[in-house]
């Protein structure tokens, strides 16, 4: 039988004290239903004579973000912190420490800007989804968890 990674093995933890959150202040979002990681890059490209018309490309910048969908469950400290921060803060105060661990064994951790596109509104007979985008900023780290064992 082939072993596979399952999406539900992702964990998303949020610092409840902004970007200065300690490990003890990191709290997992309770009822995550979807996590989507996005990486976009800035490139400089050119066609040098020495490459005989073939393109040379170099990555000069990058943006990593995660989109999280979670059910609005009472008592979810991390989710409430994100919604409150996005709705009441701006500038660097609208950021927090984020940790995403993905099933393939990678951990992305560092400061991230918080953007809430749906704070938990929906039809009357459904448990609302909260939709959040967390864009990593500045000095964040990507760790290969298998290499650190």
């Amino acid at each position: 039988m082939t072993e596979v990674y399952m999406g539900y093995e992702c964990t998303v933890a949020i610092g409840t004290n902004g970007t200065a959150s300690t490990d003890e202040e990191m709290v997992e979002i309770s009822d995550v239903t979807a996590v989507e990681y996005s990486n976009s890059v800035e490139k400089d490209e050119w066609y040098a004579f020495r490459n005989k018309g073939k393109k040379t490309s170099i990555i000069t910048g990058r943006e990593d973000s995660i989109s999280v969908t979670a059910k609005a469950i009472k008592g979810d400290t991390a989710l409430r912190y994100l919604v409150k921060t996005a709705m009441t803060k701006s500038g660097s105060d609208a950021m927090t420490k984020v940790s995403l661990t993905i099933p393939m064994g990678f951990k992305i951790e560092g400061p991230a800007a918080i953007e809430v596109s749906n704070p938990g509104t929906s039809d009357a007979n459904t448990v609302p989804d909260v939709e959040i985008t967390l864009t990593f900023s500045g000095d964040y780290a990507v760790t290969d968890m298998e290499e650190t064992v």
Side-chain angles (χ1 to χ4, degrees):
M1 174 183 235
T2 302
E3 289 189 43
V4 297
Y5 298 108
M6 298 301 293
Y8 60 77
E9 295 177 86
C10 281
T11 60
V12 182
I14 303 302
T16 57
N17 189 26
T19 56
S21 297
T22 63
D23 289 344
E24 292 76 31
E25 294 169 314
M26 299 295 287
V27 180
E28 280 190 35
I29 299 174
S30 297
D31 281 283
V32 174
T33 58
V35 175
E36 193 173 311
Y37 168 80
S38 174
N39 168 263
S40 61
V41 297
E42 295 290 327
K43 297 184 287 186
D44 191 6
E45 299 177 324
W46 63 93
Y47 298 88
F49 289 170
R50 67 183 173 96
N51 291 340
K52 300 178 182 156
K54 294 179 183 163
K55 185 187 289 186
T56 300
S57 183
I58 185 169
I59 294 175
T60 59
R62 63 183 305 128
E63 177 181 279
D64 293 286
S65 64
I66 57 174
S67 296
V68 179
T69 303
K71 290 296 184 181
I73 303 296
K74 292 180 180 180
D76 188 334
T77 308
L79 200 57
R80 180 164 169 69
Y81 178 83
L82 289 173
V83 171
K84 178 181 178 182
T85 301
M87 294 178 80
T88 62
K89 308 281 183 177
S90 62
S92 60
D93 291 337
M95 298 177 69
T96 194
K97 184 177 177 183
V98 175
S99 177
L100 168 67
T101 304
I102 62 173
M104 290 193 76
F106 294 95
K107 182 178 186 177
I108 306 164
E109 186 172 68
I114 305 165
E115 181 181 348
V116 175
S117 57
N118 181 357
T121 57
S122 71
D123 298 331
N125 63 341
T126 61
V127 176
D129 285 329
V130 177
E131 297 168 349
I132 299 165
T133 301
L134 302 161
T135 304
F136 288 96
S137 178
D139 189 23
Y140 60 95
V142 179
T143 306
D144 184 339
M145 303 301 283
E146 290 183 5
E147 289 183 2
T148 59
V149 176

